[in-house]
Amino acid sequence: MTVTRVAACHAAPVFLSARKTTDKAIKLIHEAARNKAQLVVFPETFIPAFPVWSALRAPTENHDLFQGMATESIYADGEEINAIRAAAQATKTLVSVGISEKSRFSTATLYNSNLLIDRTGAVLTHHRKLMPTFFEKLTWSPGDGHGLRVSQTAHGNIGNLICGENTNPLARYSLMAQAEQIHISTWPAIWPTRVPSESAGTAANYDNVAANRTRAAAHCFEAKCFGVLCAGFLDNEAIGTITSGAANEDSVRGALEGSPRGASMFLDPTGALHPAYTLSNAGEQQDKEFLQHEEGIIYADLDLERCVEGKQYHDVVGGYQRLDVFQLQVNRTRSDPVIFRDEAVEKRENELAMKVDE
């Protein structure tokens, strides 16, 4: 079997609640598994939220929101992820989930992270976003190259980049060079760059659908892989929380309600839109190009054999590359703030070294 059924969960978190959002994720995993999905994908930092307030409110207004974000962010080896791992194992599905990750070495260092979990419950890839984009730097620290890995699974070779990383050609190339067949790109519900005005409407703002699809399509065409774009959904609970307490509540609400919404969709190895569909509780299929203005799960059946033909024309990591001219080096070491050496261990190492010298 070369066909993989993928479920992209176009869903809103239970805003700033790690536990409730985890419970929602588990329900969606079981729903997708009942519909025979083999890979279930969640948006960028689905647990516990995306900090869009930093785009619209002054930093001096956001201390309480950051406090809530730090409190509700989760450990990559914590109870919430353990529950999702158990759900993946119980349903025999692969799960890709975006989280705001809490570090073990600080009370408030956070990372924008993504975990790929195998159908056995094992964590295959733990990626931290290399560089938070624009206002995201007010919440997250830069990650490292440790997670620039393509996982070989029973349902394809799967890689992931988070939002703006899909604009980084070197990060993308590092995944292409690992025989990537399914590329997951995760996105927020909105990404406002301007407050919409009555005269300009949304035209002057950032078009999530066009921008995200352009980047993902370029990668699919170059890598000859399938693309899974999974964006979050902005619900009224999030709008109310972000708006409350802002110096200019009307302006913030207008930006939240008027900014273009992200969309969840699938692309084929030529970069073209791939057929997708939703499924009702009764199993009725409805064809959809993408999900944007409503919550739900969108599905696609990806035939991985289609990743082969295009390589005849442009295999940019093989026959269509000049390896004698270009060379890319990727540091996949996990970055830690400090390395402690135990005195007893160091003494023992020195003793062994002396014996070798003798």
Side-chain angles (χ1 to χ4, degrees):
M1 293 291 291
T2 63
V3 176
T4 296
R5 178 166 293 185
V6 183
C9 298
H10 188 71
V14 181
F15 200 70
L16 290 177
S17 173
R19 183 67 262 171
K20 291 180 181 179
T21 304
T22 300
D23 291 342
K24 183 173 182 176
I26 290 170
K27 290 179 181 178
L28 290 169
I29 291 168
H30 281 273
E31 178 183 344
R34 287 194 298 273
N35 288 323
K36 300 182 180 179
Q38 294 149 322
L39 169 61
V40 185
V41 180
F42 290 93
E44 180 177 12
T45 62
F46 183 64
I47 306 173
F50 181 83
V52 68
W53 57 79
S54 291
L56 302 169
R57 298 171 46 147
T60 52
E61 296 181 13
N62 292 339
H63 302 306
D64 289 344
L65 286 167
F66 180 78
Q67 177 83 31
M69 187 71 164
T71 300
E72 294 298 319
S73 293
I74 63 175
Y75 295 113
D77 58 354
E79 60 181 273
E80 295 85 1
I81 292 301
N82 286 340
I84 291 175
R85 291 173 64 183
Q89 184 176 26
T91 58
K92 298 295 185 285
T93 56
L94 290 148
V95 176
S96 171
V97 59
I99 66 171
S100 179
E101 180 191 351
K102 192 182 301 186
S103 72
R104 291 287 187 185
F105 56 75
S106 170
T107 57
T109 292
L110 307 178
Y111 296 103
N112 182 337
S113 299
N114 195 90
L115 301 178
L116 179 63
I117 299 166
D118 193 20
R119 57 186 184 173
T120 65
V123 175
L124 299 177
T125 309
H126 173 193
H127 176 55
R128 291 172 174 169
K129 190 173 184 180
L130 295 169
M131 180 56 66
T133 309
F134 190 28
F135 59 80
E136 297 172 6
K137 293 182 174 71
L138 296 171
T139 299
W140 293 307
S141 297
D144 52 42
H146 181 77
L148 291 176
R149 302 170 190 271
V150 170
S151 296
Q152 295 184 353
T153 78
H155 301 294
N157 301 337
I158 303 171
N160 160 266
L161 290 175
I162 303 166
C163 193
E165 291 185 313
N166 292 279
T167 316
N168 186 326
L170 302 183
R172 295 194 302 104
Y173 183 84
S174 73
L175 299 186
M176 293 182 205
Q178 298 174 70
E180 187 180 37
Q181 294 172 299
I182 299 174
H183 180 75
I184 297 170
S185 57
T186 54
W187 313 88
I190 63 171
W191 209 77
T193 55
R194 295 176 182 269
V195 175
S197 63
E198 292 184 6
S199 59
T202 60
N205 216 318
Y206 193 81
D207 186 339
N208 270 305
V209 176
N212 298 352
R213 181 175 170 179
T214 296
R215 288 181 280 188
H219 184 79
C220 291
F221 182 80
E222 293 172 3
K224 314 306 178 195
C225 70
F226 287 95
V228 182
L229 289 77
C230 187
F233 181 81
L234 188 69
D235 62 8
N236 290 330
E237 179 186 11
I239 291 173
T241 301
I242 296 167
T243 302
S244 178
N248 189 341
E249 291 191 6
D250 290 341
S251 176
V252 172
R253 180 175 292 276
L256 291 170
E257 294 178 346
S259 295
R261 299 296 183 97
S264 296
M265 68 184 82
F266 300 89
L267 303 176
D268 72 14
T270 72
L273 202 63
H274 189 282
Y277 53 90
T278 57
L279 291 167
S280 69
N281 292 333
E284 297 173 345
Q285 181 175 315
Q286 182 179 2
D287 292 343
K288 290 271 191 180
E289 288 189 350
F290 52 79
L291 285 182
Q292 184 179 21
H293 295 294
E294 73 228 64
E295 281 197 87
I297 304 177
I298 187 166
Y299 299 86
D301 298 315
L302 312 182
D303 185 353
L304 301 184
E305 286 191 354
R306 291 188 61 195
C307 297
V308 175
E309 181 179 326
K311 294 280 189 178
Q312 293 184 96
Y313 323 132
H314 306 112
D315 188 349
V316 299
V317 297
Y320 204 71
Q321 185 57 273
R322 285 293 302 275
L323 303 178
D324 58 327
V325 176
F326 302 108
Q327 188 175 62
L328 175 64
Q329 180 174 303
V330 179
N331 180 7
R332 295 203 301 199
T333 304
R334 178 63 87 202
S335 296
D336 290 313
V338 63
I339 298 174
F340 293 100
R341 291 187 60 86
D342 184 89
E343 288 184 6
V345 172
E346 189 170 356
K347 181 179 179 181
R348 179 60 179 161
E349 288 177 351
N350 290 337
E351 290 174 349
L352 291 173
M354 291 176 64
K355 289 182 179 179
V356 170
D357 291 340
E358 292 173 358

